[in-house]
Amino acid sequence: MLLTAGIASASGLPIATGTAPEATASGGPPSAIILSGRRNVMANHAVRFRGRVTPGGSRAVVVQVGGRKLRAHTRADGSYKLRWHAPSSGVYRARATVTGTSVRSHRLTVNAFRPAEASYYGPGLYGGVLACGGTLSPGRQGVANKTLPCGSRVTLRYHGRTVTVPVIDRGPYAGNREYDLTAATRAKLGFPSTGTVLTTR
């Protein structure tokens, strides 16, 4: 069962300033640009970016994300909108720039998720040695995975809760499950014994 509950907007409004070499006829040189949008989406779904350049006026804007450059022109009030499709699961960084200037926004992180079967482990195994080093304890956060390199950061989401944890062990080796969550990771997500999580990896 695909769980997409909790994929919702959590827009920030980061602002960065800079010095523009040229002025526009409508509002003078730009001093700041805002970039906002959905931070958590499903892979292959559309992400709608929006923002504003101040002062207002007609300007060219470029948003770099996922190796692409998306171009737009602002309206008279300085606002702009763009659409982008996350090509696959992963963590993407987006940043907007006013063309021909050094004015750019702070980075906006977009998590693109896919569903993965998961379970949890811990009780009865505490004190045991982990494949990636260290020992398993009730408070240890992380996941077991058969192929991802040790230490890889994985962002998981379940019913609106999100955590980013490292790969600390190998497994699971039962059924078609991709992840074994530690008890601490399970508690952070409010995850049951088995089910489907959303993952960026």
Side-chain angles (χ1 to χ4, degrees), residues 93-164:
R93 305 285 192 273
R95 172 170 276 177
T97 304
V98 180
T99 302
T101 76
S102 61
V103 179
R104 60 182 184 175
S105 70
H106 288 296
R107 293 187 188 277
L108 176 71
T109 299
V110 178
N111 297 313
F113 294 98
R114 66 173 180 84
E117 295 302 309
S119 52
Y120 98 103
Y121 75 123
L125 299 174
Y126 296 137
V129 177
L130 298 168
C132 298
T135 58
L136 184 63
S137 65
R140 186 74 180 262
Q141 291 196 33
V143 295
N145 181 271
K146 292 189 285 290
T147 59
L148 291 174
C150 289
S152 298
R153 305 290 290 179
V154 178
T155 299
L156 303 173
R157 191 168 174 86
Y158 184 79
H159 284 190
R161 297 184 182 184
T162 304
V163 297
T164 300

